[in-house]
């Protein structure tokens, strides 16, 4: 199959491109490098020995996207194209709504005009909101989101569901990610956040490599085993392999399917820090700070549907996630920049 990855040069997109190529699929990537680098795709090609068709374009640009779709005629689209920093979304809500929703509408319009009937969407566990208790399962209603980033994911899910109701031939898979971390075991591709990292693992890695002075852990008085928040961390390569399974499922399906991608095993912030130090034999300086507004004590997934519907389950351990994160960071202290 030929798969178009909208926003495919980013963290999850590049690892998914690698997994798709290794599974025998053709890959087309469209990315404007707003929060990514063409170097990631170059390295994917080196690692797989296969080529990627790469376009530097904005997925919101319907004229350009329509030309690309008409030329490439993909069998399926994976929609990764979106801004994703929670704090930034609070400061710049209009930019987030414009970018994230426009990319979705543009892709659906271009798919309709070129006859492409399959789309896999990069969604998030944030759509469960605070009302749903863990383990989160796909039958739960979407909740009240706490930031514009989360609302864009919730709105885009609704748009895609409505589109599949209107077009009975459309196949939509909404993949709700939990907390992707890690990197490809080669250390050649990984997470390359711009500026101060928004997520825990890249911050831990940057403290370990000396780019940051110390990690602040937001609260140690939650009702959890060690007082720090529990989250469902999943290795990015397990996540990428889940996308391959979703694409192959999409080809024999109509309507909308919602599927969690996680491990079902929650780990605390201190579990991450301690495991990272232990498996990599490095120190991570940290301090305990006050709780952060909006943080829930525990968020983790029910993973039974992914196994039942896709025949997929996460295989890699927390030690693997920490080891591969450090292998990427120590070999690329400045990310993809030389």
């Amino acid at each position: 199959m030929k798969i178009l990855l909208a926003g495919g040069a980013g963290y999850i997109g590049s690892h998914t491109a690698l997994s798709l190529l290794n599974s025998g699929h053709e890959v087309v990537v469209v990315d404007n490098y707003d929060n990514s680098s063409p170097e990631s795709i170059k390295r994917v090609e080196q690692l797989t020995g296969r080529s990627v068709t790469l376009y530097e374009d904005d997925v919101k640009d319907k004229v350009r996207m329509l030309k690309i779709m008409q030329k490439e005629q993909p069998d399926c689209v994976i929609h990764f194209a979106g801004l994703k920093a929670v704090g930034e979304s609070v400061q710049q809500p209009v930019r987030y709504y414009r970018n994230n929703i426009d990319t979705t509408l543009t892709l659906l319009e271009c798919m309709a005009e070129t006859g492409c009937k399959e789309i896999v969407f990069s969604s998030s566990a944030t759509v469960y909101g605070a009302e749903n208790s863990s383990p989160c399962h796909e039958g739960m209603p979407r909740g009240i989101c706490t930031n514009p980033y989360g609302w864009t994911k919730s709105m885009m899910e609704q748009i895609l569901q409505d589109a599949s109701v209107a077009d009975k031939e459309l196949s939509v898979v909404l993949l709700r990610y939990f907390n992707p971390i890690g990197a490809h075991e080669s250390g050649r591709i990984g997470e390359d956040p711009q500026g101060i990292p928004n997520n825990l693992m890249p911050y831990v890695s940057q403290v370990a490599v000396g780019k940051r002075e110390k990690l602040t852990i937001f609260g140690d008085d939650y009702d959890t085993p060690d007082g720090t928040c529990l989250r469902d961390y999943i290795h990015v390569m397990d996540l990428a392999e889940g996308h391959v399974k979703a694409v192959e499922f999409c080809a024999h399906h109509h309507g909308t399917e919602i599927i969690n991608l996680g491990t079902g095993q929650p780990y605390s912030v201190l579990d991450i820090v301690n495991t990272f130090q232990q498996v990599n034999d490095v120190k991570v300086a940290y301090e305990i700070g006050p709780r952060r507004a909006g943080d829930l004590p525990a968020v983790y997934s029910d993973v039974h549907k992914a196994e039942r519907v896709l025949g997929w389950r996460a295989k890699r351990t927390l030690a693997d996630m920490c080891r591969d994160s450090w292998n990427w960071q120590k070999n690329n202290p400045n990310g993809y920049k030389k």
Side-chain angles (χ1 to χ4, degrees):
M1 294 168 66
K2 181 186 282 192
I3 320 299
L4 187 145
L5 276 56
Y11 174 43
I12 298 168
S14 59
H15 288 79
T16 300
L18 184 145
S19 287
L20 286 165
L21 291 168
N22 283 338
S23 299
H25 298 288
E26 291 181 68
V27 171
V28 178
V29 168
V30 183
D31 204 301
N32 65 357
Y33 309 130
D34 188 37
N35 191 30
S36 59
S37 168
E39 179 65 22
S40 67
I41 298 302
K42 188 184 299 182
R43 295 188 186 187
V44 164
E45 291 179 320
Q46 292 166 353
L47 287 165
T48 61
R50 297 189 58 198
S51 62
V52 173
T53 303
L54 182 59
Y55 293 90
E56 182 178 357
D57 279 295
D58 191 327
V59 176
K60 296 193 302 296
D61 186 336
K62 186 180 175 184
V63 173
R64 288 293 304 143
M65 279 307 303
L66 188 56
K67 286 181 179 176
I68 292 167
M69 295 276 289
Q70 287 170 336
K71 180 181 178 183
E72 298 296 340
Q73 293 291 311
D75 299 296
C76 180
V77 170
I78 305 182
H79 180 10
F80 296 111
L83 300 171
K84 62 177 186 176
V86 170
E88 186 180 66
S89 78
V90 175
Q91 297 161 352
Q92 303 175 32
V94 174
R95 178 173 171 241
Y96 269 67
Y97 286 118
R98 169 67 73 188
N99 183 85
N100 291 5
I101 294 173
D102 268 12
T103 54
T104 305
L105 295 173
T106 297
L107 285 171
L108 282 170
E109 288 171 348
C110 292
M111 287 172 63
E113 292 185 40
T114 57
C116 180
K117 296 296 184 180
E118 300 164 22
I119 183 167
V120 175
F121 175 57
S122 169
S123 193
S124 166
T126 192
V127 303
Y128 286 111
E131 303 91 325
N132 292 307
S133 58
S134 290
C136 298
H137 64 81
E138 294 87 346
M140 291 174 168
R142 284 189 294 266
I144 303 297
C145 298
T146 57
N147 56 76
Y149 161 76
W151 278 119
T152 66
K153 292 293 186 185
S154 183
M155 291 174 183
M156 289 186 284
E157 281 198 1
Q158 188 65 53
I159 290 166
L160 287 158
Q161 284 179 295
D162 290 345
S164 76
V165 170
D167 182 351
K168 301 303 182 187
E169 294 183 358
L170 198 61
S171 177
V172 175
V173 179
L174 308 177
L175 295 179
R176 290 179 177 169
Y177 309 162
F178 280 71
N179 294 73
I181 60 175
H184 188 257
E185 62 183 8
S186 66
R188 296 281 292 147
I189 60 171
E191 188 168 9
D192 183 20
Q194 309 299 308
I196 299 172
N198 295 290
N199 299 322
L200 176 62
M201 183 57 86
Y203 209 107
V204 168
S205 299
Q206 290 191 9
V207 171
V209 85
K211 286 190 72 172
R212 308 279 166 198
E213 181 187 355
K214 61 188 172 186
L215 169 73
T216 298
I217 295 174
F218 299 109
D220 65 349
D221 58 350
Y222 287 94
D223 185 18
T224 62
D226 64 19
T228 64
C229 290
L230 294 169
R231 294 292 182 267
D232 188 338
Y233 296 95
I234 176 173
H235 197 294
V236 68
M237 285 307 300
D238 279 329
L239 193 73
E241 289 160 11
H243 285 76
V244 177
K245 293 289 189 180
V247 162
E248 293 167 352
F249 168 80
C250 217
H252 308 286
H253 164 264
H254 295 115
T256 297
E257 204 71 62
I258 301 169
I259 300 175
N260 289 337
L261 292 185
T263 65
Q265 171 63 59
Y267 291 103
S268 74
V269 177
L270 284 174
D271 286 333
I272 293 284
V273 173
N274 293 334
T275 304
F276 190 95
Q277 293 183 124
Q278 183 178 6
V279 301
N280 297 315
D281 194 25
V282 294
K283 289 293 291 179
V284 177
Y286 68 87
E287 64 179 8
I288 304 297
R291 289 188 182 194
R292 185 171 54 183
D295 278 347
L296 300 173
V299 181
Y300 57 97
S301 64
D302 181 317
V303 296
H304 291 95
K305 185 173 181 180
E307 192 163 357
R308 185 179 75 251
V309 173
L310 300 183
W312 170 93
R313 65 183 300 173
K315 299 177 294 195
R316 295 163 179 85
T317 65
L318 182 60
D320 295 330
M321 300 179 213
C322 291
R323 188 180 301 110
D324 291 340
S325 292
W326 179 236
N327 189 37
W328 154 256
Q329 185 70 69
K330 70 182 181 184
N331 288 304
N332 303 271
N334 298 310
Y336 290 113
K337 300 179 184 70
K338 300 296 183 186

